Amino acid sequence: MVRVRFAPSPTGALHIGGVRTALFNYLFAKKYGGDFLLRIEDTDQTRYVEGAEQYIIEALNWCGIPFDEGVGKEGKHAPYRQSERKEIYKKYADELIQKGKAYYAFDSAEDLDNQRKEYESAGKTFIYNWQTRLQLKNSLSLTEEEVKQRLDRGDEFVIRFKMPEEVLKMNDLIRGEVIIDTKTLDDKVLFKSDGMPTYHLANIVDDHLMEISHVIRGEEWLPSLPLHMLLYRAFGWEAPQFAHLPLILKPVGNGKLSKRDGIKLGFPVFPLDWTEGDAPLKGFKGEGYFPEALVNFLALLGWNPGTDQEIFSLNELIELFDLERVHKAGARFDPEKIKWFNHQYLQKKSDRELADDFSKILIEKGISIATDKVEKIVHLIKERATFVSDFWELGSYFFQKPSVYDDKAMKKQWKENTAQILTEVAQIIKETSNFSSVPLEEAVKNHITEKGYSFGQVMPPLRLALVGEMKGVHIFDIMEVIGKEETLQRIEAIKSING
Ligand code: GLU
């Protein structure tokens, strides 16, 4: 049975790297008919941020990758918030002490600081491990009597893992064999003096209890893998399989994509809007991206299907996804590419759906207009749009008469006989009873031929009359939408300012 989990710490808005991790877990679970869990890892109270947990849940829902079990969807392993599982962890830390795999350490922060300084002045780095532990204050160096005394009188302590000394071979589903000499590692703290477990202990205890089969997480956790493997071994538990996903890199330069890159270069790195202090940060949703576009884009950040196909529905992704095709190398974040995806998804949306969204913008502008008409307009202009918010820029002339005319175009297009020609065209338009694009075009073009005019004498001034500048969709489509009255008024208006 495949059971995977996304285990974020609620320390702020969910970065898109986190969304990608959640997505890969979701795809993997659904592909194998398994469960996708959300566990909130909030044992580090000092980094807890109000609202972050809610944000994570809303973000996953908006992306359309809901979890099967987790906070708010309690299953048989509830609770799913680590702060509510506090009592569970101490027992496991004690078990490791009994087994001789962990020990009490009484060193104060000051003691450790002094050690560090001493090592530094000798040009060395202090590590709490096999080389130093017997010179420090812990249950391995002190007598049993002393340890008991300290515990009885309530001295502060942490519980540290007694890192074995060996060459450890591990397997990662993406990276293959990973080998490390554990002598280079430190005796990590498993349990803190505040009565809370550290990430490492809580994480592996919960993965075990929640019957997690595969741990799929970001590459930044790869250094923790040896400790996690050794913890499983120390407990005598079977370890899940591990897969560490490649980093998401900056669009240019080196290193991991950060929040600052987004601010500096003007693109979102969060799914939803988020306010930090007084600084509001726009998310993909707020910037007008569709969740399907974000998901499609993220799926290809670190994974590829082995073909040239780029557009995938969520179901196709589920079918095609596999960890074998996840790369080791970091994946560069390309803000232009996600715009491209959004453009593609916008073209796939129905005119009705787009019209509903666009109507909200129109209402804000104080324009009320029948949805059928908005639908028609959207149909005409959407080809050039990346976001629904582009519609106004692309089609404002459907809703308002030109208030100014492009000066340069006017000088170029307005000739001596232009007013006369437009008067004739207006007459033709007036007489056209079937007021739609094709018959209008036919009537006007017939007139042009009959009179021996060139198209250049007629069409550009007509466009200027309707739009105010040399842009916009097919002229006769514009006429059909704005209607006979409005078309004639706009022609009159341009004539009067030139006359
Ligand atoms: N709480 C860790 C995080 O914030 C979880 C890492 C893991 O998946 O093991 O990403």
Side-chain angles (χ1 to χ4, degrees), residues 147-407:
V147 172
K148 192 174 176 308
Q149 255 177 24
R150 282 176 179 266
L151 292 176
D152 287 348
R153 70 171 184 243
D155 277 9
E156 272 203 1
F157 66 84
V158 298
I159 296 175
R160 286 183 181 269
F161 185 60
K162 189 176 169 209
M163 182 59 74
E165 295 146 51
E166 65 179 81
V167 173
L168 183 66
K169 282 191 184 165
M170 301 158 285
N171 188 55
D172 181 275
L173 293 171
I174 295 165
R175 267 141 237 279
E177 193 174 59
V178 180
I179 303 178
I180 184 146
D181 180 355
T182 62
K183 275 187 168 173
T184 60
L185 303 176
D186 64 333
D187 291 355
K188 273 271 175 315
V189 174
L190 301 177
F191 204 83
K192 296 175 286 182
S193 52
D194 65 359
M196 282 290 232
T198 57
Y199 151 72
H200 302 288
L201 180 70
N203 184 271
I204 78 119
V205 165
D206 284 346
D207 280 347
H208 171 72
L209 295 178
M210 294 180 182
E211 302 175 90
I212 296 303
S213 62
H214 295 76
V215 170
I216 303 170
R217 61 185 175 191
E219 189 185 282
E220 62 273 29
W221 300 103
L222 191 58
S224 301
L225 182 59
L227 172 63
H228 294 183
M229 290 304 269
L230 291 166
L231 280 169
Y232 280 103
R233 193 210 281 168
F235 281 116
W237 297 336
E238 193 192 330
Q241 291 193 269
F242 286 90
H244 290 87
L245 306 175
L247 293 178
I248 299 183
L249 305 173
K250 296 176 190 303
V252 283
N254 294 324
K256 203 171 142 181
L257 177 74
S258 72
K259 184 171 71 188
R260 248 170 295 123
D261 296 316
I263 296 171
K264 209 168 66 197
L265 300 167
F267 57 80
V269 295
F270 299 126
L272 312 175
D273 293 355
W274 174 255
T275 303
E276 234 168 52
D278 325 313
L281 297 168
K282 273 259 184 257
F284 284 98
K285 182 182 180 199
E287 291 286 7
Y289 288 89
F290 300 116
E292 308 91 299
L294 177 63
V295 162
N296 196 152
F297 168 76
L298 288 179
L300 292 166
L301 272 189
W303 171 81
N304 77 73
T307 63
D308 289 341
Q309 188 181 342
E310 291 193 281
I311 302 288
F312 299 94
S313 68
L314 193 59
N315 282 337
E316 282 176 296
L317 287 173
I318 291 169
E319 198 179 300
L320 294 167
F321 183 78
D322 221 331
L323 289 171
E324 272 157 38
R325 298 206 69 93
V326 175
H327 347 134
K328 291 192 200 93
R332 204 165 282 289
F333 179 92
D334 178 358
E336 291 309 313
K337 190 74 194 190
I338 183 165
K339 281 192 188 149
W340 179 84
F341 276 108
N342 214 63
H343 174 81
Q344 299 295 321
Y345 277 90
L346 189 144
Q347 307 312 314
K348 282 166 170 272
K349 299 253 172 205
S350 73
D351 295 338
R352 178 50 125 190
E353 198 180 339
L354 293 171
D356 284 341
D357 287 348
F358 186 33
S359 292
K360 289 177 199 140
I361 297 177
L362 292 174
I363 288 167
E364 274 170 29
K365 294 192 182 290
I367 296 168
S368 91
I369 183 165
T371 319
D372 286 357
K373 200 166 226 179
V374 181
E375 212 177 312
K376 242 184 189 171
I377 294 169
V378 161
H379 181 77
L380 293 170
I381 58 179
K382 72 173 181 185
E383 201 185 303
R384 300 200 36 215
T386 297
F387 303 105
V388 169
S389 60
D390 294 340
F391 288 160
W392 178 255
E393 171 72 22
L394 289 170
S396 57
Y397 55 85
F398 283 108
F399 310 97
Q400 54 193 18
K401 302 183 199 313
S403 52
V404 284
Y405 297 93
D406 179 340
D407 222 22

Side-chain angles (χ1 to χ4, degrees), residues 32-199:
Y32 294 104
D35 297 326
F36 171 50
L37 281 73
L38 173 72
R39 184 174 69 228
I40 297 292
E41 302 211 321
D42 57 351
T43 54
D44 188 350
Q45 297 291 320
T46 58
R47 297 183 59 215
Y48 181 82
V49 172
E50 194 69 40
E53 178 187 303
Q54 199 48 38
Y55 180 99
I56 291 164
I57 295 171
E58 281 168 17
L60 296 181
N61 288 336
W62 178 70
C63 290
I65 50 172
F67 49 94
D68 304 299
E69 235 177 274
V71 175
K73 275 193 196 165
E74 317 298 303
K76 75 171 187 197
H77 297 290
Y80 295 90
R81 212 179 267 126
Q82 287 186 329
S83 58
E84 290 169 20
R85 301 171 63 81
K86 253 200 283 204
E87 296 71 40
I88 300 176
Y89 310 113
K90 181 65 174 39
K91 174 175 114 209
Y92 288 100
D94 289 344
E95 183 183 328
L96 290 181
I97 291 192
Q98 268 148 34
K99 287 180 162 167
K101 310 282 185 189
Y103 59 91
Y104 297 107
F106 302 99
D107 321 84
S108 66
E110 204 188 334
D111 290 342
L112 294 175
D113 219 38
N114 289 336
Q115 287 288 342
R116 243 170 254 131
K117 282 188 189 133
E118 222 171 277
Y119 270 70
E120 255 169 44
S121 59
K124 289 191 274 185
T125 314
F126 169 71
I127 308 180
Y128 206 125
N129 68 358
W130 59 281
Q131 274 177 310
T132 56
R133 59 172 85 105
L134 291 180
Q135 284 98 58
L136 295 151
K137 280 185 215 135
N138 54 55
S139 55
L140 301 174
S141 62
L142 303 170
T143 64
E144 219 171 295
E145 186 57 25
E146 237 175 319
V147 172
K148 192 174 176 308
Q149 255 177 24
R150 282 176 179 266
L151 292 176
D152 287 348
R153 70 171 184 243
D155 277 9
E156 272 203 1
F157 66 84
V158 298
I159 296 175
R160 286 183 181 269
F161 185 60
K162 189 176 169 209
M163 182 59 74
E165 295 146 51
E166 65 179 81
V167 173
L168 183 66
K169 282 191 184 165
M170 301 158 285
N171 188 55
D172 181 275
L173 293 171
I174 295 165
R175 267 141 237 279
E177 193 174 59
V178 180
I179 303 178
I180 184 146
D181 180 355
T182 62
K183 275 187 168 173
T184 60
L185 303 176
D186 64 333
D187 291 355
K188 273 271 175 315
V189 174
L190 301 177
F191 204 83
K192 296 175 286 182
S193 52
D194 65 359
M196 282 290 232
T198 57
Y199 151 72

